[in-house]
Structures are given as structure tokens and as C-alpha cells.
């Protein structure tokens, strides 16, 4: 063989790429293990046979069209649907059935906080809004320090530290929503559930909340319902896509279509229904 | 079907990409013809034609940039937008190689290349034209399997490139022969690179279809 036969310049492409990045390994601790969950409001089946796992210190987003059951599911995660909906299947929280008899619902809601679509601060001072939960829970320790630490945690301290006694209702919408998140985390939950937290906010306030969510996941497990798919793409580690479908029994209900890493859901979803929804070609 | 305006914008960019490919095929064809006929004026035409290719390249690039900025495509749409962006660049490189061939043709004036070498160039060039056609047809038809056949075609060009190198070495040791040999090697290398670019386009088709990018042949880790 001559030098020409083996000359790499003559035989190989010039551009070379390193190996593709490996998939992130899915080994974080499971916080919620949802198995075969169906939820009904009276005769109306809202959600059918959902099974999925929500993992610790990750942001999990629920997306899907109106009526797909995503808000129903997030409300089941801290028993906000008690007395309204009936459930079939199980939701384990750290291996414990959340709906077992004898479970202390107040304790569930302390561990699993919730923030709603519209900012709903109490008509009290900024300070009292944050201190309210810890006081009700009978938490001991330096309340001032707790309030300051919590407001710093939600990146609101610098904006309000000189007017803590002012009414919370005087804050802007974005500030009010961050205050509501502060109120939720002041009692030291493990999980924060966010039901469309930015839908009433302008883009700047939305960006502030998204930054906050990304920072909070270091300390909390976050579940967020959002109508804004790009928001899910920006902040969520995992995304669940729900849709409305007619079952073999002829009843229409929400179903979980696909649940995967967000990067996969928005680049190469496995299910054509997900592809149709995220690319805006559903219907 | 929703997002019709977005879809028509994406369709138009893909149509422009096929147009870009047609221009590259024409540039390659004309460059080889100028080489074969030893015609400096035709070589000048190939060089001038590259402005048209560059203009279309920029138009496609701007179209993709605008689409990414305003439409935030995801999933299959995102893969298509990225594939168009990459393929556009590969095509532009192919056109640049045609300019290089034309410039080397002019440099070889007045005597030109020996007929034996010209025949080898034309043989390699027609192979490269075929590869470009296979690459772009596979892309248009989303045919990953056919795209993978490009590696077989590329091996043929690589072999011809090596055979041509032997001919150059055997062509003599005079200064004139060495200069002509060097230019012949460069032309051969240009055509061989066009084959590589066609393979790169094939890799984009596989990415578009499967969502996974991989090189057909791993130059840094040959098997």
C-alpha cells in the first residue's frame, strides 16, 4: 500500500464532530408516583388513567389544551379537589398514599404549597402576608429573619424591604405573584405547585417569575401548569402533554399523551399528537 | 391544518434550497465543461455565477433566522429549519469549490491539463453531480435509507482521487510537471470535497427523519 492509499487528507472528511451528548440520566428521587389515576366531577370524567412520576428538585410542566385535565391533576397533588372530585387510582407521596384515611390534609398542604393563576395576596401588609402561614402553623423562631429570608428567596426583598408594613395590594402584579410564592414557601414546603402563575402577568414580570422558578428548584420540587408552551420549554426539566380524547366507552376525558424530558418533547416527541400540539398543528 | 402562513414560509425556504442545489449542480457542470474545453471565458462565467449563489444563500439564511426568531418552531419543524440551515451552508461550499475549479482551470492556461487527467476529472465530477442529486432527492423525499447510500458513492470518489494522485506523481519531475500536478491535485481535492458535502447533506436528512445526528463515517474513530 502506498502513502496515497492511507493518506488521511485524501480519504477522510475534514469536518468532524464529537459524539452527541448523552441523555440525562433519570435517577432523581420520586416525589409523586401517580398510578392509574382517573378523576371525575360527578358524572363527568375529567381525567382518565394517568400514570407518571414527579421527581425531586425538578420542574415538571403540564401542558395541553383547555379541558385536558391538567389543572385537575395539579389540584389532586395537594388534595385541593377534596369534596369536589372523586378519584380512582393512587397518588403516592414519597411512597405514602396521599388519599389514605387518616392523612392530615393540613399537613399535606404545608408540605405541598400552591400558587394560583391570579395573584391573591391577603389584604394585609407585605410582612404579614409572608408571616401568616408560619404563624398559623405555630412555627417558632425569629419571624423577622424568616420573612427576610423568604422575601430574598423570591427576589423581592430589594424591592420591598423599606415598606414591609405597606399593603400588599399596592404591589405590581408581578410583585404580588412573587409575594404569593413567598407566602407558599414561608412554611417550608417540599413541593410548590403553580397553576398558570404567569397568565395574568406582563412579559417582564413573567421573566422574573421564570427566573425565580429556575432558582427555586434547587430547594423545592416544582410542578407548573402552563398554557404557554415556550414557558414550559424554557423552564421545565420534564413536560407532560395532556389531551382530550374519547375513550372506548364513548366518554370524552383528559388523557396523558406523553411525558418525557422537555428537550425531547420539543425536538423529537414520540407521539404524533404531541408533535401536532407543540408545533401548533392540532385540530 | 393550522399555522398556514408559517407552513407556507417553511415550504418556500425548502423550495429555495432546492433552487440553490440546482444552481450548484449548474456551477459544477459548467466548471467541468470549462475544464474539459479548456475555456477561460467559460471559467470566468462560473466565477461570476457564484454571486447569484451567494445571494440565494444569504436569502435562505435570513429566512431561517427570521423564522426562528418569530415562529419559535419546535419538533419536526425545528429539525427541518436546522437541516435547511446546514444544507444551505454545504451547498454554498459546493459552489465555492466550483469557483476554485474554475480558477485553477484559468491558471492552467494556455496549455491546460493532459487529456488523461481531464478524463479523470470529468469522471469524478459526474460522480459528484450524481451524489448531489441523490442527497437532495433523499432530503426532499425524507428518505434516510437512500441518504445512507451516499457513503458508497463517496468511496468511489475517494478511490478516483487516490488514482488521480498516482497519475500526477507519475507525470514527471520537471518544474512544469510539478506545477501542473499540484493544480491537478487541488482540482481533484475540490471534487472530492463536493462528495463529502453531499454526504453531509445526507446526514442532515437522517437527522430530519430520526431526530438523531450521527456521522455516516467517523473520521476521528475509523472502524
Amino acid at each position: 500500500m502506498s502513502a496515497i492509499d492511507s493518506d488521511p487528507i485524501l480519504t477522510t472528511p475534514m469536518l468532524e464532530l464529537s459524539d452527541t451528548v448523552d441523555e440525562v440520566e433519570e435517577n432523581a428521587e420520586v416525589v409523586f408516583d401517580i398510578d392509574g389515576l382517573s378523576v371525575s366531577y360527578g358524572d363527568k370524567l375529567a381525567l382518565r388513567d394517568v400514570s407518571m412520576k414527579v421527581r425531586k428538585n425538578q420542574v415538571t410542566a403540564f401542558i395541553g389544551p383547555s379541558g385536558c385535565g391538567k389543572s385537575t391533576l395539579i389540584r389532586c397533588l395537594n388534595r385541593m379537589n377534596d369534596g369536589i372530585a372523586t378519584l380512582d387510582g393512587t397518588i403516592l407521596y414519597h411512597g405514602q398514599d396521599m388519599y389514605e384515611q387518616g392523612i392530615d390534609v393540613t399537613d399535606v398542604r404545608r408540605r405541598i404549597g400552591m400558587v394560583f393563576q391570579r395573584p391573591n395576596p391577603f389584604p394585609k401588609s407585605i410582612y404579614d402576608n409572608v408571616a401568616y402561614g408560619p404563624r398559623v402553623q405555630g412555627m417558632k423562631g425569629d419571624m423577622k429573619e424568616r420573612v427576610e429570608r423568604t422575601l430574598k428567596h423570591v427576589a423581592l426583598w430589594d424591592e420591598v424591604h423599606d415598606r414591609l408594613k405597606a399593603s400588599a395590594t399596592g404591589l405590581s402584579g408581578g410583585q404580588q405573584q412573587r409575594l404569593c410564592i413567598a407566602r407558599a414557601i414561608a412554611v417550608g414546603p417540599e413541593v410548590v405547585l403553580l397553576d398558570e402563575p404567569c397568565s395574568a402577568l406582563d412579559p417582564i414580570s413573567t421573566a422574573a417569575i421564570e427566573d425565580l422558578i429556575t432558582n427555586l428548584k434547587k430547594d423545592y420540587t416544582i410542578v407548573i401548569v402552563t398554557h404557554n408552551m415556550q414557558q414550559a420549554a424554557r423552564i421545565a426539566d420534564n413536560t407532560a402533554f395532556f389531551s382530550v380524547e374519547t375513550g372506548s366507552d364513548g366518554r370524552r376525558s383528559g388523557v396523558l399523551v406523553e411525558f418525557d424530558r422537555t428537550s425531547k418533547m420539543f425536538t423529537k416527541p414520540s407521539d404524533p399528537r404531541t408533535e401536532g400540539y407543540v408545533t401548533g398543528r392540532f385540530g | 391544518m393550522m399555522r398556514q402562513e408559517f407552513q407556507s414560509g417553511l415550504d418556500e425556504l425548502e423550495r429555495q434550497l432546492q433552487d440553490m442545489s440546482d444552481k450548484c449542480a449548474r456551477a459544477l457542470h459548467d466548471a467541468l465543461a470549462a475544464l474539459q474545453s479548456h475555456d477561460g471565458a467559460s471559467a470566468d462565467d462560473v466565477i461570476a455565477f457564484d454571486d447569484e449563489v451567494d445571494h440565494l444563500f444569504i436569502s435562505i439564511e435570513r429566512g431561517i433566522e427570521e423564522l426562528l426568531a418569530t415562529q419559535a418552531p419546535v419538533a419536526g419543524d425545528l429539525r427541518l429549519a436546522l437541516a435547511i440551515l446546514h444544507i444551505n451552508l454545504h451547498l454554498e461550499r459546493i459552489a465555492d469549490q466550483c469557483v476554485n475549479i474554475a480558477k485553477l482551470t484559468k491558471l492552467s492556461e494556455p496549455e491546460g491539463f493532459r487529456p488523461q487527467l481531464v478524463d479523470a476529472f470529468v469522471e469524478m465530477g459526474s460522480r459528484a453531480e450524481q451524489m448531489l442529486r441523490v442527497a437532495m432527492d433523499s432530503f426532499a423525499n425524507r428518505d434516510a435509507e437512500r441518504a445512507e447510500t451516499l457513503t458508497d458513492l463517496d468511496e468511489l470518489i475517494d478511490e478516483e482521487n487516490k488514482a488521480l494522485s498516482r497519475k500526477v506523481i507519475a507525470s514527471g519531475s520537471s518544474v512544469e510537471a510539478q506545477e501542473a500536478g499540484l493544480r491537478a491535485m487541488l482540482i481533484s481535492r475540490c471534487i472530492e470535497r463536493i462528495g463529502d458535502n453531499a454526504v453531509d447533506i445526507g446526514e442532515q436528512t437522517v437527522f430530519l427523519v430520526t431526530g438523531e445526528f450521527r456521522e455516516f463515517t467517523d473520521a476521528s474513530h475509523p472502524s
Side-chain angles (χ1 to χ4, degrees):
Chain A
M1 182 186 276
S2 74
I4 289 168
D5 290 309
S6 57
D7 187 336
I9 298 300
L10 294 175
T11 56
T12 60
M14 292 167 98
L15 181 71
E16 293 160 17
L17 293 176
S18 57
D19 292 339
T20 51
V21 179
D22 287 336
E23 290 279 313
V24 177
E25 214 176 311
E26 201 53 87
N27 55 5
E29 183 187 336
V30 174
V31 176
F32 293 106
D33 188 348
I34 303 163
D35 187 28
L37 183 74
S38 295
V39 185
S40 303
Y41 298 106
D43 293 339
K44 167 77 181 147
L45 183 62
L47 205 55
R48 186 198 300 266
D49 196 21
V50 171
S51 297
M52 63 186 294
K53 291 179 172 67
V54 173
R55 292 176 188 275
K56 194 174 172 66
N57 297 118
Q58 296 193 354
V59 178
T60 300
F62 294 171
I63 62 169
S66 297
C68 69
K70 55 191 187 300
S71 286
T72 292
L73 179 59
I74 201 173
R75 283 161 179 268
C76 289
L77 297 182
N78 73 341
R79 295 191 55 168
M80 289 291 286
N81 277 334
D82 280 14
I84 307 168
T86 50
L87 276 66
D88 243 350
T90 55
I91 304 176
L92 302 183
Y93 174 68
H94 290 295
Q96 166 82 49
D97 187 343
M98 285 181 68
Y99 283 82
E100 207 172 71
Q101 278 213 330
I103 294 285
D104 179 353
V105 178
T106 308
D107 187 49
V108 165
R109 292 182 189 150
R110 189 192 66 72
R111 290 167 186 265
I112 306 164
M114 190 155 195
V115 174
F116 298 91
Q117 187 173 353
R118 291 205 163 270
N120 57 347
F122 301 138
K124 292 171 175 288
S125 70
I126 294 165
Y127 183 95
D128 285 344
N129 262 272
V130 181
Y132 178 84
R135 279 188 194 134
V136 169
Q137 299 284 340
M139 288 179 163
K140 307 291 181 201
D142 185 343
M143 187 61 76
K144 274 187 182 172
E145 190 274 333
R146 180 184 288 271
V147 169
E148 179 176 338
R149 178 161 39 90
T150 307
L151 287 171
K152 282 181 174 167
H153 214 142
V154 299
L156 196 56
W157 175 255
D158 289 346
E159 294 164 52
V160 301
H161 68 90
D162 54 353
R163 50 175 170 149
L164 293 174
K165 295 295 174 192
S167 172
T169 54
L171 295 173
S172 73
Q175 288 172 325
Q176 286 186 16
Q177 195 61 306
R178 275 182 282 156
L179 183 67
C180 290
I181 294 173
R183 199 173 62 192
I185 65 174
V187 293
E190 185 202 3
V191 180
V192 180
L193 307 175
L194 302 155
D195 192 357
E196 295 186 51
C198 301
S199 61
L201 303 183
D202 64 65
I204 293 170
S205 302
T206 297
I209 298 282
E210 289 181 1
D211 284 349
L212 173 58
I213 290 169
T214 304
N215 284 327
L216 287 177
K217 79 170 179 177
K218 290 196 284 283
D219 301 303
Y220 307 96
T221 300
I222 311 270
V223 182
I224 179 171
V225 167
T226 178
H227 269 295
N228 181 339
M229 281 187 287
Q230 284 307 309
Q231 181 169 68
R234 285 192 294 266
I235 63 173
D237 299 293
N238 305 301
T239 297
F241 168 57
F242 296 85
S243 188
V244 187
E245 304 216 329
T246 305
S248 54
D249 55 2
R251 301 170 76 191
R252 281 181 72 73
S253 66
V255 291
L256 174 62
V257 173
E258 187 170 353
F259 179 46
D260 212 324
R261 301 287 302 168
T262 299
S263 55
K264 176 139 190 307
M265 294 287 280
F266 285 91
T267 56
K268 184 74 173 78
S270 301
D271 194 297
R273 292 169 293 177
T274 312
E275 172 103 18
Y277 186 75
V278 298
T279 58
R281 291 193 177 79
F282 56 88
Chain B
M1 171 75 78
M2 296 179 71
R3 302 191 78 188
Q4 285 179 351
E5 196 166 325
F6 164 67
Q7 184 61 54
S8 63
L10 201 52
D11 289 346
E12 171 58 19
L13 284 165
E14 191 171 349
R15 194 198 59 71
Q16 285 184 25
L17 192 75
Q18 289 291 347
D19 192 19
M20 177 86 173
S21 166
D22 291 344
K23 287 188 190 304
C24 290
R26 178 186 149 186
L28 178 56
H29 183 270
D30 291 354
L32 292 169
L35 180 64
Q36 202 169 10
S37 60
H38 193 225
D39 178 355
S42 298
D44 280 334
D45 290 343
V46 171
I47 295 164
F49 182 64
D50 194 50
D51 287 345
E52 215 174 293
V53 175
D54 287 347
H55 184 76
L56 186 53
F57 165 76
I58 290 167
S59 166
I60 293 170
E61 180 139 310
R62 285 193 181 143
I64 292 292
E65 183 186 8
E66 189 179 316
L67 187 117
L68 292 173
T70 60
Q71 300 290 335
V74 294
D77 295 335
L78 176 63
R79 297 202 303 280
L80 177 57
L82 293 175
I84 290 174
L85 197 64
H86 282 101
I87 293 172
N88 191 36
L89 187 59
H90 292 311
L91 291 172
E92 194 270 340
R93 294 265 164 83
I94 287 174
D96 283 348
Q97 298 293 3
C98 297
V99 170
N100 289 338
I101 294 168
K103 285 180 176 172
L104 288 160
T105 298
K106 282 167 64 72
L107 280 174
S108 72
E109 286 183 294
E111 67 276 12
F113 293 103
R114 288 186 295 119
Q116 196 190 14
L117 289 179
V118 172
D119 288 347
F121 292 146
V122 171
E123 173 70 25
M124 278 181 81
S126 62
R127 194 82 68 195
E129 272 187 83
Q130 184 193 7
M131 287 183 71
L132 178 58
R133 200 165 51 246
V134 169
M136 293 306 292
D137 285 353
S138 307
F139 176 69
N141 297 318
R142 312 291 191 256
D143 187 344
E145 208 172 312
R146 189 164 181 226
E148 297 229 32
T149 65
L150 285 160
T151 49
D152 297 334
L153 294 169
D154 195 40
E155 274 178 27
L156 296 175
I157 288 200
D158 288 345
E159 285 305 315
E160 286 163 358
N161 186 32
K162 284 186 277 186
L164 195 133
S165 305
R166 289 191 200 92
K167 286 182 186 136
V168 166
I169 289 169
S171 65
S173 57
S174 68
V175 173
E176 293 77 17
Q178 284 181 355
E179 281 181 359
L182 196 58
R183 284 195 282 273
M185 285 296 299
L186 287 170
I187 287 177
S188 179
R189 178 63 172 157
C190 287
I191 300 171
E192 191 268 336
R193 285 298 299 147
I194 290 172
D196 289 343
N197 282 128
V199 173
D200 292 337
I201 292 170
E203 289 169 350
Q204 291 299 319
T205 297
V206 173
F207 166 70
L208 174 61
V209 174
T210 66
E212 302 291 333
F213 180 81
R214 65 182 168 81
E215 288 185 294
F216 290 165
T217 52
D218 188 346
S220 52
H221 305 94
S223 54

